[in-house]
Amino acid sequence: MVFGRQLQIGIWLLAAAAGLLLSVFFAVSYGAKELTLSAVWSAVWHYDPGLTSHQIVHDLRLPRVLGAAVIGMAFGTAGAMMQGVTRNPMADTGILGINAGSAAVVALSFAFIPGVSYLQLMLLSFAGAALATLLILLLGSATPGGLTSMKLTIAGAVIAAMLHSFSTGVAIYFDLSQDLAFWYAGGVGGITWAHLQLITPVIILAMIGAILLGRPITFLSLGDESAINLGIRVRYIKVIALTLVVILAGVSVSAAGSISFVGLVVPHMARRLIGVDYRAVIPLSALLGAILLVWADLASRIVQPPREFAIGAMVAMVGVPFFLYLARREGREL
C-alpha cells in the first residue's frame, strides 16, 4: 500500500516535470514570430548570435519564460507552506497582503532612492514582505481567541488594502504611476539573464528548505496540539517556514511584481492529486505553479498581439473564481 502510494506520487511529480518542460518549449516557440521546436532547440544548445531566430529565443523569450517558471515555483511553494502552517485554505502571499508589503517598499524606493540597483530592490522587497507579515500576524492575534484561519484572512485583506492605498498615494505624490503600473499588474517581460542569476539561487535554496520542512508542516496541518504530541517544535517550525515564505514572496515581487492567486490555486490541486503529505505537496505545488505562470505569460502575449495583457490579470481569471468558491465553502463550514 505504501509502495503504491509512493509510486503514485512519483508518477505525478514526473508528469508535472514533463509538463513544465513541454510548456517551456511551447512558450518559447510561440509568439508574434512562431518558431519551430527544432529552431528553439538549436538556439538553446547551439546559439548563433548572427541568426535572428536565435536572438529572439536567447535574448527575449528564454529568460522571460524561465523567469515565469522560477517565479511560479516560488509562489506555488510559498502558498503550499502558508496553507499547511496556518491551516488556512485561502492563504496566499497576494491575498494575505505579503506581496502588497513588497510593492509598498518598492514604491518608496522609487520615490526616495532613484537609480536603486536590482540587488538593493530585491533586499528592500524582502524587507517589505517581512514587515507586512509581521503586521498581519500582530493584527490577527490582537483580538480575543488568538490567531485563527479566518482572522488571518481578514487581517491580510486589511493590511493589503492599507498598503495598496499607501503605495497609490506615494505613486500619485511623486508622479510614479507609470513606473509602478508594472508592479501592480505583474509581468515577466522585463526579466533578463542578469535577473535570473540573482533570483534563481535564492529561490532554489528557499525551495530546498521548504521541502526539508515537509514532514513537520504535514503534522502542523493537522493542528498545533497534534504536532506537539508528535514532538514537533511548533513555534520554531512556524518561524522558519514564514521566513522562507517571506523570502520567496519578496524575491518574486521584486522581479515580476505583485502576482496573486498562484499560491492559492496550485496547493489545492496538488493535495487533490497526491494527498496531504507536504513532502510531496510542496514540490508538486512548485511544478504546478511554474506551469500556471508559464501559460499565463504565454496567454498575456497572444491575446492581442503585439500588445501584452498583465500576467496578473490572466492568473486572476482562474484565481478569483477559485477564491470565491473557497470562501463560500469555508463560510458554510463555519
Side-chain angles (χ1 to χ4, degrees), residues 83-323:
Q83 291 178 17
V85 169
T86 65
R87 290 178 287 121
N88 181 357
M90 294 186 288
D92 169 70
T93 58
I95 295 170
L96 294 189
I98 297 176
N99 291 359
S102 292
V105 174
V106 167
L108 286 174
S109 67
F110 283 171
F112 295 105
I113 317 175
V116 60
S117 70
Y118 182 72
L119 178 59
Q120 292 172 325
L121 192 65
M122 189 170 74
L123 294 174
L124 289 168
S125 181
F126 163 73
L131 178 61
T133 303
L134 180 61
L135 290 174
I136 293 163
L137 293 176
L138 289 175
L139 181 61
S141 304
T143 56
L147 189 66
T148 64
S149 295
M150 187 55 64
K151 289 178 183 177
L152 185 68
T153 304
I154 295 172
V158 170
I159 295 299
M162 181 186 72
L163 291 174
H164 278 305
S165 298
F166 173 77
S167 300
T168 302
V170 171
I172 293 172
Y173 185 81
F174 290 96
D175 194 21
L176 300 172
S177 298
Q178 290 185 340
D179 294 330
L180 289 178
F182 164 79
W183 300 98
Y184 291 131
V188 293
I191 292 180
T192 65
W193 289 112
H195 293 151
L196 285 174
Q197 288 175 354
L198 279 175
I199 68 173
T200 303
V202 177
I203 289 175
I204 289 176
L205 288 174
M207 286 175 54
I208 291 172
I211 293 170
L212 292 176
L213 289 178
R215 182 173 178 272
I217 289 177
T218 301
F219 294 142
L220 280 175
S221 69
L222 303 175
D224 288 358
E225 290 186 7
S226 298
I228 291 172
N229 291 334
L230 291 167
I232 301 300
R233 299 168 63 184
V234 171
R235 182 169 296 182
Y236 176 74
I237 295 300
K238 284 186 176 181
V239 169
I240 295 178
L242 289 177
T243 300
L244 292 174
V245 167
V246 166
I247 292 172
L248 290 167
V251 171
S252 299
V253 173
S254 73
S258 183
I259 301 174
S260 300
F261 299 112
V262 176
L264 171 70
V265 174
V266 295
H268 287 273
M269 297 171 60
R271 288 193 294 269
R272 178 65 63 90
L273 293 173
I274 60 175
V276 295
D277 186 344
Y278 277 79
R279 290 173 294 182
V281 168
I282 289 173
L284 184 56
S285 296
L287 292 169
L288 294 176
I291 293 171
L292 175 58
L293 212 57
V294 166
W295 281 98
D297 175 57
L298 177 60
S300 73
R301 289 189 276 132
I302 65 176
V303 168
Q304 192 179 3
R307 295 182 178 180
E308 292 187 11
F309 274 61
I311 190 173
M314 292 298 172
V315 178
M317 290 182 183
V318 177
V320 170
F322 192 79
F323 176 77

